[in-house]
Amino acid sequence: LLLVWPGHDAKITQSYMSLLDFIGGAIGNYIAKHDLQLKLTYTEDKYKIMFESTYDAILLFRGDIVVDCNEKALEYFRCKREDLVGKSPKDYSPEYQPDGMRSAEKTAMLIDQLMATGKPVTVEWKNIRKDGTNMDTGLNLNRVMIDGVYHILVFKRDITQRKQVQNSKRREEIARESMAHFRSFLEKVNLIYYSLDKNGNIAYAND
C-alpha cells in the first residue's frame, strides 16, 4: 500500500495523477481477473467433481455437439470416448422418437427452449448404443456457463426396465378392459360362453 502525503507547498502534477490512476487501474484489473479466474476454477472443479462422483451418465454439449463425458456415459453407450465426443444426439438416436417427432428436430427444439429460458428440461428419449441395442432414457438438461460460454449439461439414466414394466402393466390393463367389453357384449346376446383355466376347469361362464 502506497501513501502519499504532500506538504503544504508541494504540488501534485497532472502526470503524477495519471500515474496514480494507471497504478490504481492496473491493480483493479488484476483483482477483477483474479476473482474471475477463481470463479472459473471453481466452476471447472465443480463440474469435474460432478463428472467423477455421479452415478448418472453425463454428457457436456456446446450447441448440439458433445465436448466431454464421464466414464458412466461410456459404460452407458458401451463405447469409447471418441465415439461420443464430437458427435451430436442424432448420431446415437433413431430417426424418430416414440412421439413421432424426428430426433434431429426434437433436439433442436429442446436446445432452443433450454437456451432461451435457462430452466432445466426433463424428457424421455430413445437412444441407440454402439452395439445397436435400443434403450429408453430419462434426460435432464441444464444450461451452465463455462469459460464464459453457455453449455448444456445432460444427465442420462436408463429407464428401459421401468418402461418395460409400465408397458407390461398397460398391456394387462388393455387385456382386462377388452375382456370386460367382450363379456358385456355376451351378456346382451343370446350366446353361451365359458372360459377354462390352464387345468381345464371352468373359470367363467355367462348367465
Side-chain angles (χ1 to χ4, degrees):
L1 178 62
L2 178 63
L3 294 177
V4 179
W5 193 270
H8 293 293
D9 297 331
K11 293 183 179 180
I12 300 177
T13 64
Q14 183 64 38
S15 60
Y16 185 72
M17 291 298 298
S18 298
L19 177 61
L20 290 179
D21 288 341
F22 173 78
I23 293 174
I27 293 174
N29 288 335
Y30 172 80
I31 294 173
K33 289 181 179 179
H34 181 67
D35 288 343
L36 178 59
Q37 187 61 45
L38 286 177
K39 290 179 181 178
L40 292 177
T41 300
Y42 170 75
T43 301
E44 292 167 358
D45 289 344
K46 182 175 67 174
Y47 290 112
K48 182 178 179 181
I49 292 172
M50 187 183 299
F51 263 50
E52 295 174 350
S53 63
T54 184
Y55 289 101
D56 290 328
I58 297 180
L59 299 177
L60 183 66
F61 289 83
R62 182 178 294 174
D64 66 343
I65 300 298
V66 178
V67 295
D68 200 1
C69 64
N70 65 350
E71 290 297 322
K72 194 69 176 179
L74 304 182
E75 297 175 13
Y76 192 80
F77 284 99
R78 300 172 185 171
C79 66
K80 298 179 180 179
R81 184 173 298 276
E82 55 265 29
D83 296 320
L84 283 178
V85 175
K87 303 296 177 63
S88 70
K90 65 180 179 62
D91 294 318
Y92 44 84
S93 302
E95 183 178 0
Y96 292 92
Q97 288 299 307
D99 61 1
M101 194 171 184
R102 288 181 180 274
S103 293
E105 294 176 357
K106 192 164 186 176
T107 296
M109 181 191 73
L110 293 174
I111 290 176
D112 289 344
Q113 176 184 340
L114 179 65
M115 293 309 238
T117 66
K119 297 180 180 179
V121 177
T122 300
V123 66
E124 292 185 358
W125 195 266
K126 182 76 75 173
N127 276 133
I128 302 177
R129 294 187 176 96
K130 187 179 180 182
D131 60 12
T133 57
N134 292 313
M135 57 182 172
D136 293 299
T137 305
L139 300 183
N140 182 260
L141 293 78
N142 302 268
R143 191 184 71 179
V144 297
M145 179 76 77
I146 300 177
D147 291 340
V149 178
Y150 279 128
H151 290 64
I152 300 173
L153 194 65
V154 179
F155 294 82
K156 286 178 173 281
R157 180 164 294 184
D158 189 346
I159 60 171
T160 302
Q161 291 185 348
R162 191 186 80 189
K163 293 290 291 184
Q164 289 175 345
V165 171
Q166 290 177 344
N167 291 336
S168 177
K169 289 182 178 179
R170 182 54 186 157
R171 286 193 295 268
E172 291 176 1
E173 291 174 358
I174 292 175
R176 286 195 296 268
E177 291 172 0
S178 298
M179 182 59 70
H181 288 310
F182 180 61
R183 288 175 177 174
S184 177
F185 167 75
L186 291 176
E187 298 295 339
K188 298 175 182 178
V189 298
N190 189 22
L191 290 175
I192 298 174
Y193 165 80
Y194 62 89
S195 60
L196 305 177
D197 60 23
K198 62 181 181 180
N199 296 319
N201 300 315
I202 296 176
Y204 173 84
N206 66 347
D207 296 333

